Amino acid sequence: MGKVVHLHKREQKFTTASALFDGITAWLNNRPPNTRQQYMRIAKSWSESLGVALDEPEAETRWSKATHAQVTRWIAQLKERPAQSGRAAKASGTGLVSMATVRHKVVIMKAVYDELIAQGFVSANIFHRSSLLLKKHVFGERRPHDKVPDNAVKKL
């Protein structure tokens, strides 16, 4: 039998059968609502790439047995997603999400896995290596956008 999890306003209470989901929810409870929602969307995206919904009992097994190869595949899928319409799509040039977005999601999943290690759900952080390998923003490096020509960006 699942237990009832009480979430903040605008989020309804519901019954869950996943201890993993309960652990992530408990960890996110002290965070602002927007942060909670964003982290949960990212965690659900990762869980879906593993072939299981985050609130299913099987999620705990799949998350604990996930490999670095699965992380690499998920990152490749993230890189192929279209950017949001508007400024983000224009700035990317390719119409795909930026590497900053991909890295942000990987860093969030690294933090989630760190917490799951502390809670005893998983034994290793499979996102650690990927978070180090993704290119970080270099201080002073400017991204091109429609207001500044590409050739002038290197001069800034």
Side-chain angles (χ1 to χ4, degrees):
M1 228 9 159
K3 66 180 185 178
V4 175
V5 178
H6 298 281
L7 302 174
H8 292 281
K9 66 180 181 174
R10 285 189 23 166
E11 298 169 332
Q12 301 174 356
K13 21 182 192 171
F14 57 93
T15 305
T16 176
S18 170
L20 176 80
F21 183 84
D22 294 343
I24 293 172
T25 302
W27 176 61
L28 292 175
N29 259 344
N30 295 328
R31 290 181 167 50
N34 290 343
T35 302
R36 273 197 315 272
Q37 291 168 2
Q38 182 182 24
Y39 280 32
M40 283 303 262
R41 273 194 306 270
I42 294 168
K44 286 177 183 178
S45 170
W46 166 244
S47 197
E48 287 168 5
S49 77
L50 295 176
V52 65
L54 183 58
D55 57 352
E56 291 180 17
E58 177 68 17
E60 185 177 341
T61 305
R62 297 267 180 98
W63 279 52
S64 64
K65 292 183 178 180
T67 64
H68 182 68
Q70 289 171 309
V71 171
T72 304
R73 261 193 312 275
W74 184 63
I75 291 171
Q77 290 171 357
L78 291 176
K79 289 178 182 178
E80 294 301 316
R81 289 187 180 171
Q84 292 179 350
S85 61
R87 195 182 97 175
K90 290 178 188 173
S92 74
T94 62
L96 302 175
V97 296
S98 69
M99 281 305 294
T101 300
V102 173
R103 185 170 198 295
H104 178 70
K105 291 181 179 194
V106 169
V107 168
I108 287 172
M109 287 308 302
K110 180 181 178 286
V112 170
Y113 263 81
D114 282 342
E115 178 59 25
L116 294 177
I117 289 170
Q119 292 183 18
F121 287 107
V122 295
S123 59
N125 192 335
I126 57 174
F127 282 91
H128 179 74
R129 184 174 9 151
S130 295
S131 70
L132 297 175
L133 294 176
L134 289 174
K135 183 182 179 223
K136 295 180 182 178
H137 173 73
V138 178
F139 181 75
E141 181 181 287
R142 301 288 305 225
R143 289 190 290 175
H145 54 79
D146 58 349
K147 303 284 187 217
V148 179
D150 290 339
N151 59 355
V153 172
K154 294 177 184 172
K155 296 176 186 175
L156 294 177

